[in-house]
Amino acid sequence: ASEKLILMAVKVSVVLCGTAGAGLAITTSSVQLFWIMSIDVMYCMMAPQVICIFYLSRWVNYLGACFGFVLALLLRVLVGEPVIGLPDLMPLPWDKIQDDGTRYRLFPFRTAILLITLGTIFLVSRLAECLFEKRKLGSEDETDATCQEMKPMNKEQTNTSLD
């Protein structure tokens, strides 16, 4: 990606994370609860992005990353969070409802969201690359530039010296 695009992505990410953090800080009643919610957001939504950047960077692109983040956010909202008053709209396997109406989540939904997001980022990135190569997605100039950006770098480009 170009330097201008990276700077814009960083600025948008800072604003979105700051807004989400401010919203969590306002809605939580304790600092401990705020940290727990922040860790939950980092694990479910940001960890797949970081894993892809470090370990799958040759096979993923920005379209997959954006789609994965939106899907992770949607899934996390649908699962709900009773601590902040977010209702659970999506039933999960192995849920136990006690006589008093308390629901116990036994399914590891945070890890499931992480894995679903990883798979989605990879699949959408591959699909986008196929569509770019067949010129079904984007204009001709944009397609050529994007295809060049998505190709893995050769050894001369990856070996940079720190001298």
Side-chain angles (χ1 to χ4, degrees), residues 31-71:
V31 174
Q32 182 182 11
L33 186 59
F34 174 69
W35 280 105
I36 291 170
M37 291 302 301
S38 298
I39 291 169
D40 186 8
V41 168
M42 291 297 294
Y43 183 70
C44 290
M45 290 181 251
M46 299 306 291
Q49 306 288 332
V50 173
I51 290 168
C52 286
I53 288 170
F54 286 127
Y55 300 109
L56 302 173
S57 62
R58 289 184 160 190
W59 299 286
V60 299
N61 58 32
Y62 66 94
L63 291 173
C66 292
F67 193 85
F69 183 79
V70 169
L71 179 69

Side-chain angles (χ1 to χ4, degrees), residues 96-145:
K96 299 277 185 186
I97 299 176
Q98 300 297 327
D99 293 333
D100 62 354
T102 307
R103 179 186 302 247
Y104 290 101
R105 300 269 179 171
L106 301 176
F107 185 74
F109 64 90
R110 290 176 182 93
T111 302
I113 291 172
L114 180 134
L115 294 173
I116 290 169
T117 303
L118 277 173
T120 301
I121 292 171
F122 182 75
L123 290 175
V124 170
S125 295
R126 297 289 90 207
L127 178 65
E129 185 174 346
C130 289
L131 291 175
F132 276 127
E133 287 176 0
K134 293 181 181 180
R135 301 201 186 275
K136 300 279 187 194
L137 191 62
S139 66
E140 189 171 322
D141 296 333
E142 180 184 333
T143 303
D144 290 339

